[in-house]
Amino acid sequence: MSYSVVISGTGLWTPEQTITNDELVAAFNQYVERFNAEHADAIAAGEVTALDASNSAFIEKASGIKQRYVIDKSGVLDPSRLAPSIPERGDDEVSIQAEIAVNAARQALENANLTPNDLDAVLVACSNMQRPYPAMAVEVQAALGMEHGWGYDMNVACSSATFGIQAGVDAIRNGSARRVLMVNPEICSAHLAWQDRDCHFIFGDVATAVILERKEDATSDNQWEVLGTRLQTKFSNNIRNNFGFLNRCDESGIGARDKLFRQEGRKVFKEVCPMVAEQISSHLADTEIAVESLNRMWLHQANLSMNELISKRVLGRQATREEAPVILDDYANTSSAGSIIAFHKYNSDLPAGSNGVICSFGAGYSIGSVIVNRIK
Ligand code: CO8
């Protein structure tokens, strides 16, 4: 017996602090001035390369990003630090990542008319885990007050949420869980190289949550049936972060640039857009959804031009903002959470019978698409 699965609730936790492009650039440029002054002799001797200033107009034009939410603004904007200040918590306190996951999860549970003990499973799916074990998902399970069930962590970078939805859907379809919480606590600010002008503007922090359950069990007044999921990975070094447990085994690399996010943005843009458009189109065709009856695309939120290009390839014309909602102007790239923020904020206006696709893409490369139909 295979069960039909619905998304019956979503949740969004947004940090209180924002950083505008102007604020970010002012702090970065102060850092650049200091660096160049401190290294003036070495720069003149050709031993050190002078740093170039950043620019708000470039950031908005190249990415569409206007601001980002962060857990700690003061550390990021301190030119002598350029990194968030997030004090370590004791082993007996709830960890920051579990805390923000729980904030989003509680909202999703409320929207689905459920309580924590209605859940059987917790999947924490995101780009960076604050520790390897015990799994963040097991801490979230305890922090929610669940008295039974199981949880595990999974990471497919920006595609973690769609891969997490497929894992949850598979568990419910096959009967190993009736209800699954899939949650994406993304603290991207902690793995961003704020000293690198090529990428210092890209990311923000957030947490999102999705409740998946059997169609026959769901009681919420907003239900999206999952008609199909499709995943794709293809190895690429163009987006990479080499931070990990093996770093201590070769001290020469500790603190090196490759231990934070880095990418070849242009290559990513060129290589990933056609793959994503092709996946959405073929997934729709195989699910027998005509492009004309696709009402919305909740796309990964990395770059505005990328989303315009992908949606144009899928629709055969420019998509409207209603058809492909944009949240990256406000949130920046929040990795796996981006397409879920878009879904959370922009699905309830569509009537029953509407079709949509949640689609993520990013490091790996990884692409995930989830085709949904509103049934309530
Ligand atoms: N200010 C002013 N000038 C700048 C700046 C800046 N801040 N940055 C670069 N420039 C300059 C460059 O030096 C270059 O100068 P020149 O022409 O003289 O060489 C010029 O501006 C153009 O630079 P680019 O070619 O780099 O600019 P693009 O137009 O390509 O835009 C983008 C750069 C915005 C990065 C764009 O390429 C892009 O968005 N690409 C797609 C990237 C993407 O989607 N990546 C996904 C990554 S996320 C992911 O998979 C999850 C990872 C996990 C998260 C981890 C948390 C941190």
Side-chain angles (χ1 to χ4, degrees):
M1 168 106 190
S2 176
Y3 300 96
S4 297
V5 181
V6 295
I7 295 175
S8 59
T10 55
L12 168 66
W13 174 82
T14 304
E16 284 169 13
Q17 303 174 44
T18 56
I19 299 178
T20 64
N21 288 345
D22 284 347
E23 289 174 312
L24 183 72
V25 165
F28 179 85
N29 288 349
Q30 253 183 290
Y31 158 76
V32 167
E33 264 177 44
R34 285 184 198 178
F35 179 94
N36 289 344
E38 265 169 41
H39 297 85
D41 292 343
I43 290 169
E47 291 154 9
V48 169
T49 309
L51 298 180
D52 292 319
S54 187
N55 174 321
S56 294
F58 168 86
I59 294 172
E60 194 173 333
K61 186 163 174 286
S63 67
I65 295 165
K66 296 179 182 165
Q67 64 158 35
R68 68 284 298 141
Y69 291 90
V70 289
I71 283 175
D72 175 61
K73 173 174 181 166
S74 60
V76 171
L77 294 186
D78 175 352
S80 58
R81 180 180 173 90
L82 294 191
S85 172
I86 304 175
E88 251 188 47
R89 295 181 177 183
D91 285 358
D92 51 358
E93 293 175 277
V94 67
S95 62
I96 178 91
Q97 202 167 16
E99 185 177 285
I100 68 172
V102 165
N103 292 342
R106 288 203 189 283
Q107 198 188 91
L109 283 165
E110 198 182 318
N111 288 336
N113 290 333
L114 297 173
T115 63
N117 269 317
D118 296 321
L119 297 169
D120 298 317
V122 178
L123 304 180
V124 168
C126 60
S127 296
N128 298 291
M129 302 294 167
Q130 78 174 73
R131 59 164 190 271
Y133 50 85
M136 302 307 302
V138 181
E139 187 178 7
V140 171
Q141 179 192 14
L144 280 171
M146 283 171 64
E147 283 153 9
H148 74 289
W150 45 270
Y152 63 84
D153 295 345
M154 51 179 287
N155 178 358
V156 206
C158 288
S159 287
S160 299
T162 52
F163 279 58
I165 288 174
Q166 175 166 301
V169 167
D170 286 349
I172 297 167
R173 279 202 177 129
N174 295 328
S176 57
R178 273 183 100 108
R179 294 195 183 93
V180 177
L181 164 69
M182 194 287 302
V183 61
N184 323 105
E186 290 287 9
I187 311 181
C188 298
S189 63
H191 267 195
L192 179 55
W194 297 95
Q195 290 85 351
D196 182 341
R197 82 165 182 156
D198 288 343
C199 67
H200 78 121
F201 54 89
I202 292 182
F203 289 100
D205 301 332
V206 82
T208 49
V210 173
I211 305 287
L212 297 157
E213 59 182 320
R214 281 188 199 171
K215 186 175 171 179
E216 69 203 52
D217 289 345
T219 63
S220 102
D221 53 11
N222 180 356
Q223 296 176 27
W224 289 84
E225 182 170 355
V226 178
L227 301 182
T229 59
R230 179 167 291 179
L231 312 181
Q232 185 186 165
T233 51
K234 186 170 186 249
F235 185 68
S236 165
N237 269 330
N238 287 330
I239 312 169
R240 191 151 172 144
N241 177 338
N242 288 331
F243 184 70
F245 79 102
L246 283 177
N247 296 157
R248 69 188 279 269
C249 305
D250 177 4
E251 293 82 348
S252 65
I254 288 176
R257 175 65 186 85
D258 74 331
K259 304 302 180 290
L260 297 173
F261 169 89
R262 68 197 160 109
Q263 71 167 353
E264 296 285 342
R266 281 265 159 116
K267 285 188 188 160
V268 173
F269 196 111
K270 270 199 200 125
E271 292 171 9
V272 170
C273 289
M275 289 168 71
V276 176
E278 202 288 319
Q279 170 154 334
I280 295 175
S281 300
S282 60
H283 193 190
L284 285 171
D286 294 347
T287 315
E288 297 181 356
I289 305 270
V291 168
E292 297 71 40
S293 49
L294 179 68
N295 304 99
R296 195 153 290 173
M297 282 177 274
W298 301 280
L299 299 176
H300 175 50
Q301 303 281 321
N303 179 293
L304 186 56
S305 308
M306 263 178 133
N307 287 13
E308 287 173 350
L309 185 59
I310 290 165
S311 50
K312 192 174 176 189
R313 280 195 181 215
V314 171
L315 298 181
R317 60 173 170 79
Q318 201 68 53
T320 63
R321 285 286 171 104
E322 284 71 35
E323 289 169 321
V326 174
I327 59 93
L328 62 84
D329 50 349
D330 206 20
Y331 281 84
N333 183 343
T334 51
S335 195
S336 68
S339 57
I340 307 299
I341 304 174
F343 179 76
H344 174 83
K345 288 177 92 89
Y346 298 104
N347 80 72
S348 58
D349 59 307
L350 291 171
S354 302
N355 295 309
V357 60
I358 302 170
C359 182
S360 66
F361 41 89
Y365 297 134
S366 57
I367 302 173
S369 48
V370 179
I371 297 179
V372 288
N373 171 262
R374 185 162 186 180
I375 56 168
K376 259 191 189 172

